[in-house]
Amino acid sequence: MMAKIITFALIFIALAASHLLIDEKGYVLISFNQTTIEGSIVSFTILLLLVITALVLLGKVVRWSWHRLVNTKGHFSRKRKLKAQQAWNESLWLFINGEVEQAATLLTKTPQPDERQDYVRAIAAKAALKQGDVVKANTELEAISDDNQGQLAALWLEANNSEQALALLDDKMSAAKPTSAVLSGYILACLQAKQPELAAAQIAKWHKKLNWSDTQWQSVFERMFVIAPEQADTLFNMLPKAVKAHAIPALNKVKLQQGRIAEVLGELKKLLKQGQYHQLADYLQHSTQSNNELKLALQQQLKKHPDDKELLFSLACLCNAEGDYELAAKIFDSLSANPWEARWSKQAQLAYEKMHTYEKAYLIAKS
């Protein structure tokens, strides 16, 4: 723009100065209807430059005013966007730190853009589940768009809707290589839907892609065998060799609950010999049958470690299993002097109830 102005200025300067070369002052006459304007070339050149300068300045003033007007119009919308973004950032940190209800409340108070609404509803559903409001959680989950429903299997599981979770995951499971997250969600959905055979089949097929810790494996197998304890052996045999080691603890507990202590005796004696008393006690609290050989071995160890609470609890469990509730009650009386552990409560209640000491049983149940 400036280049054009300079070019025109040079042209008019040349015209204004040309009369000097021919020793003429120069003359301009403009006539329009009854109006006549006349003057020298110099005066008209100066006038034209002034007009051009005025137009340039006017253009800049108009442009500046327009930008100010546009910026003023967008001020409030920008302020709303900034407030929404700040609330979004804060809610994400709250969610990450486990404060789900606070995150959901903050997002409810501060409207978010349309593209975030599915995430807002998912956080609200998570908060509702944490508060035990399954109805609200289902309502929020149903409102989420179809495009994002495939990401909600875990939440549908928490909302006790395993059928919906399985339906969402079916398509993903049909892929050539389903992800570890999809596999985990599908197996958990099978267990919640009380389909342990399907869960075991999926584990057998995809176990190499399941990056679970030993604790996670054992939790899955405990749930599986609890659903169908009578099928525990069949389900165990469906598993590949690499996975069976994780399932043995859960299977042993089922066997002890079914009174099949003889099948587990070797493992129990091994734990006792190796001093793994906590694991031994964890097993024996599920036992419904006693074993004299194991009981004698426990008593021998107690002579060496008379105050070991794990050994005392193990012996009390065996006493309950064989009906010696008096000795079991005495053992729990001695354990009550120690900091009480929650896992002792069930066996202690059994012993006290059988000995008709209901006050002690009530106090344990109440604690």
Side-chain angles (χ1 to χ4, degrees):
M1 181 66 182
M2 289 302 297
K4 293 180 180 179
I5 293 173
I6 292 171
T7 301
F8 281 115
L10 291 173
I11 291 172
F12 281 106
I13 289 171
L15 290 173
S18 62
H19 71 282
L20 297 175
L21 297 175
I22 59 175
D23 195 23
E24 291 290 341
K25 294 180 179 180
Y27 182 77
V28 176
L29 174 64
I30 299 173
S31 179
F32 180 75
N33 291 336
Q34 301 300 319
T35 302
T36 301
I37 300 173
E38 57 183 309
S40 66
I41 292 177
V42 174
S43 62
F44 270 93
T45 301
I46 294 171
L47 180 62
L48 183 60
L49 288 174
L50 290 174
V51 170
I52 292 172
T53 303
L55 289 173
V56 171
L57 292 175
L58 180 62
K60 288 186 176 182
V61 170
V62 170
R63 184 182 301 174
W64 178 82
S65 301
W66 174 255
H67 284 304
R68 291 291 295 175
L69 179 62
V70 171
N71 288 338
T72 302
K73 286 183 177 179
H75 172 73
F76 296 106
S77 63
R78 288 199 308 274
K79 190 174 181 180
R80 284 195 299 271
K81 288 179 181 178
L82 179 60
K83 187 177 180 181
Q85 185 64 48
Q86 290 174 339
W88 178 251
N89 294 341
E90 185 179 348
S91 66
L92 286 182
W93 284 117
L94 288 169
F95 186 84
I96 290 168
N97 290 317
E99 300 176 17
V100 184
E101 296 97 328
Q102 293 89 328
T105 301
L106 179 59
L107 292 175
T108 301
K109 292 179 179 178
T110 310
Q112 295 296 314
D114 291 341
E115 62 268 19
R116 292 180 185 161
Q117 288 307 308
D118 281 354
Y119 301 105
V120 172
R121 293 188 181 101
I123 292 173
K126 187 77 174 178
L129 288 171
K130 196 170 182 180
Q131 294 171 342
D133 191 346
V134 178
V135 175
K136 183 180 178 182
N138 277 280
T139 301
E140 295 289 352
L141 291 174
E142 288 170 359
I144 294 175
S145 66
D146 293 339
D147 292 339
N148 288 321
Q149 280 291 331
Q151 308 298 327
L152 301 175
L155 283 176
W156 281 114
L157 282 176
E158 288 187 51
N160 297 320
N161 198 327
S162 53
E163 291 80 6
Q164 178 69 11
L166 284 171
L168 291 172
L169 290 168
D170 274 336
D171 291 339
K172 294 188 176 184
M173 284 296 292
S174 63
K177 294 181 179 179
T179 65
S180 177
V182 170
L183 291 169
S184 297
Y186 193 79
I187 291 168
L188 293 176
C190 290
L191 292 177
Q192 190 162 315
K194 300 189 184 305
Q195 299 183 36
E197 301 92 343
L198 182 56
Q202 295 302 323
I203 290 174
K205 183 178 180 180
W206 299 106
H207 67 279
K208 292 182 179 179
K209 294 197 67 175
L210 294 170
N211 300 317
W212 290 342
S213 65
D214 186 60
T215 302
Q216 289 174 303
W217 277 112
Q218 291 190 28
S219 175
V220 166
F221 289 125
E222 284 182 5
R223 289 183 61 183
M224 183 184 296
F225 296 151
V226 164
I227 293 170
E230 68 286 348
Q231 299 177 20
D233 292 301
T234 302
L235 294 171
F236 180 79
N237 291 330
M238 290 175 62
L239 302 174
K241 186 177 180 180
V243 175
K244 284 184 176 179
H246 298 295
I248 287 175
L251 181 64
N252 286 342
K253 290 176 183 179
V254 170
K255 289 180 177 181
L256 287 168
Q257 289 170 345
Q258 294 174 339
R260 298 157 59 187
I261 192 171
E263 298 179 29
V264 191
L265 186 59
E267 177 68 16
L268 298 176
K269 290 169 67 176
K270 181 179 178 181
L271 292 172
L272 182 61
K273 185 177 180 179
Q274 293 177 347
Q276 298 183 38
Y277 303 144
H278 182 84
Q279 182 63 52
L280 177 67
D282 188 53
Y283 275 142
L284 288 178
Q285 67 178 316
H286 302 285
S287 182
T288 57
Q289 187 180 53
S290 185
N291 180 274
N292 288 332
E293 184 180 353
L294 182 61
K295 187 177 179 181
L296 288 172
L298 269 172
Q299 291 171 331
Q300 290 297 320
Q301 288 295 320
L302 276 168
K303 289 179 181 180
K304 301 176 185 177
H305 310 285
D307 298 322
D308 191 290
K309 60 184 182 181
E310 301 291 359
L311 288 173
L312 287 169
F313 177 58
S314 297
L315 181 59
C317 292
L318 287 178
C319 290
N320 274 339
E322 70 178 6
D324 190 355
Y325 303 114
E326 184 177 0
L327 179 55
K330 288 180 180 178
I331 292 172
F332 286 116
D333 285 339
S334 68
L335 286 173
S336 62
N338 295 315
W340 190 262
E341 294 187 17
R343 65 193 182 111
W344 297 344
S345 299
K346 185 177 179 181
Q347 291 285 340
Q349 282 182 258
L350 174 62
Y352 288 138
E353 287 174 0
K354 293 294 184 180
M355 292 302 298
H356 307 293
T357 50
Y358 298 114
E359 184 177 353
K360 292 182 179 179
Y362 173 75
L363 290 173
I364 290 174
K366 189 178 178 181
S367 62

